[in-house]
Each structure stands twice: as C-alpha cells, then as structure tokens.
Amino acid sequence: MANKVAKRIAASREGIDRAKLYSIDEAVALIKERASAKFDETVEVAMNLGVDPRHADQMVRGVCQLPNGSGRSVRVAVFARGDKAEEAKAAGADIVGAEDLMETIQGGTIDFDRCIATPDMMPLVGRLGKVLGPRGMMPNPKVGTVTVDVTEAVKSAKGGAVEFRVEKAGIIHAGVGKASFSAEALVENIKAFADAVQKAKPSGAKGTYVRRVAVSSTMGPGVKIEPSTVANS
C-alpha cells in the first residue's frame, strides 16, 4: 500500500519543475491533470506574505466571496434569538440557538463549519473563545460573522465565502474550489482570493507583500505560481 502511494506521488510530480514559477493558467492545468484520487480533491492556494503577525499592525485577516463557490457543503450555526433566530432558519442555517447552543458547544459537540452571531449575542458567545478561537470559528465583525443581517451572512457562508487569517510564519491558505471545477472557474476563484488578500494588506507591511504563491490539490504536488499572474488585471 505504501509503495502504491509513493509511486502515485512520484508520478504526480513528473513534469513539474519545482524551481519554476508557472503562470496561474499553467499551474491550474497541471493541478487538474494530476488530481487522480477517487474523490473530488480540494484545490488549495497558499500565499507567503511579507508580514509578522505577532505585531498587531501586520495581522492579515478577512473574507473572500469566491465567484464560483467553494464546492463544499458548509454547515452554518447562528447565535440569535426571536425574530433573528427565525430569520436565520429561513435563510438556511443548519443550527440556531442561544444558551442551548452554547451548552452544546461547551459539551464538546461542534457540528458546523461556520459560526455567525447577532451583536447582542456576543457576551454569550465570548464565553466560547477558548473553544471556537483555536478552530478559527469565533464570530468577528471584520469578516461579517457578527451582524444584524443574518440572512446575508448565512447565504454568504453557504455560497462560498472563505475566511482567511495569516498564520505565525506569514502564510495564508484556503480551499478555493474542487479539481472537478473548470480551469476557468478555478483561475477566477484564485484571483478573487488573491485580490481579497491584497486588499487586506495591513498598514505595518513593509517591502514585498506577496512573496510566494503556490497551488495544490489534496493528494497532489504543489505548483509554484508567478505572483504577478494572480493579480486581477
């Protein structure tokens, strides 16, 4: 079994120059050609930024609405009461609650991918910081997950909104589609994501902001991209 996996990995890397910077179109074509798993592989983009997120003025975070969706089914939980709770249910939220939802999460059950809250619920949700924070699920007004417009927030999350946050090494990564997507759809999504990251450039960033960009599929090799080709012209 291990030999089969090793052979498949070696085969997927054939024809890829690890030192070369490919154009975004070339990179996407290579990734699609080599996505040979028995499931629909996720295509992920990774960007190495010239920032040190330990400094508050160099933190990069935001949200990107992928024009062609993410290709994955997103389960959404909403903290809301009364009319807003009903609004969230009507918009398609999978889980809606208040104290009951908080207790469920504290009990170790997190059956959702995205968490949204109305502003009045934040004192309650704040108690879950140690649980939701490390998972990147804590609602935040900067990425539109703390809002009175729960209908828009739920539909956005379901429709392919991708949150991003720079990690310690200055790297941002996100799933931007599936290998079954057309090359054109993947290119559009990658460019939209890169554009959102560019717009989130912090005031403290010095020198080259986007240093390296690479794209890969779940089981495939990484392909380096010439950063200038991911910019929306």
Side-chain angles (χ1 to χ4, degrees):
M1 186 70 177
N3 279 342
K4 279 186 179 179
V5 173
K7 283 180 181 177
R8 190 178 57 72
I9 291 172
S12 71
R13 287 177 176 167
E14 280 182 17
I16 294 177
D17 184 345
R18 303 298 289 266
K20 179 179 176 180
L21 294 179
Y22 291 88
S23 73
I24 186 172
D25 297 301
E26 291 172 325
V28 166
L30 287 168
I31 290 299
K32 281 181 62 64
E33 282 170 12
R34 286 158 173 75
S36 57
K38 292 179 181 177
F39 60 92
D40 194 4
E41 297 180 47
T42 295
V43 174
E44 186 169 281
V45 63
M47 303 176 71
N48 189 284
L49 307 178
V51 297
D52 182 350
R54 291 175 298 180
H55 300 287
D57 67 346
Q58 294 187 49
M59 172 53 68
V60 182
R61 73 177 303 171
V63 64
C64 171
Q65 191 71 42
L66 298 173
N68 300 295
S70 64
R72 64 185 287 251
S73 177
V74 178
R75 284 182 60 80
V76 178
V78 178
F79 278 92
R81 288 194 180 95
D83 291 346
K84 288 297 174 183
E86 293 307 312
E87 189 181 321
K89 290 174 186 174
D94 300 278
I95 305 166
V96 181
E99 283 80 6
D100 54 336
L101 179 53
M102 180 188 73
E103 288 168 9
T104 299
I105 294 169
Q106 285 177 330
T109 301
I110 300 178
D111 189 23
F112 53 86
D113 307 294
R114 188 72 53 82
C115 187
I116 294 163
T118 53
D120 61 300
M121 297 299 291
M122 285 312 291
L124 187 70
V125 180
R127 299 183 209 170
L128 299 169
K130 288 182 180 178
V131 182
L132 298 178
R135 292 174 171 80
M137 290 182 173
M138 193 67 183
N140 189 298
K142 288 184 179 178
V143 294
T145 47
V146 176
T147 176
V148 293
D149 192 350
V150 292
T151 297
E152 179 59 31
V154 171
K155 288 183 176 177
S156 178
K158 291 277 189 180
V162 176
E163 288 184 39
F164 57 86
R165 180 172 180 158
V166 69
E167 297 175 356
K168 286 180 183 177
I171 295 170
I172 275 183
H173 59 85
V176 289
K178 296 288 185 178
S180 61
F181 283 21
S182 69
E184 293 78 11
L186 285 170
V187 167
E188 277 185 13
N189 278 2
I190 292 168
K191 285 189 172 184
F193 182 77
D195 189 49
V197 172
Q198 186 66 49
K199 286 176 178 173
K201 180 179 179 179
S203 59
K206 301 289 189 289
T208 303
Y209 179 50
V210 178
R211 293 180 174 175
R212 287 186 291 277
V213 181
V215 66
S216 63
S217 64
T218 307
M219 305 295 286
V223 180
K224 295 175 183 174
I225 299 177
E226 167 54 53
S228 65
T229 68
V230 302
N232 274 312
S233 53

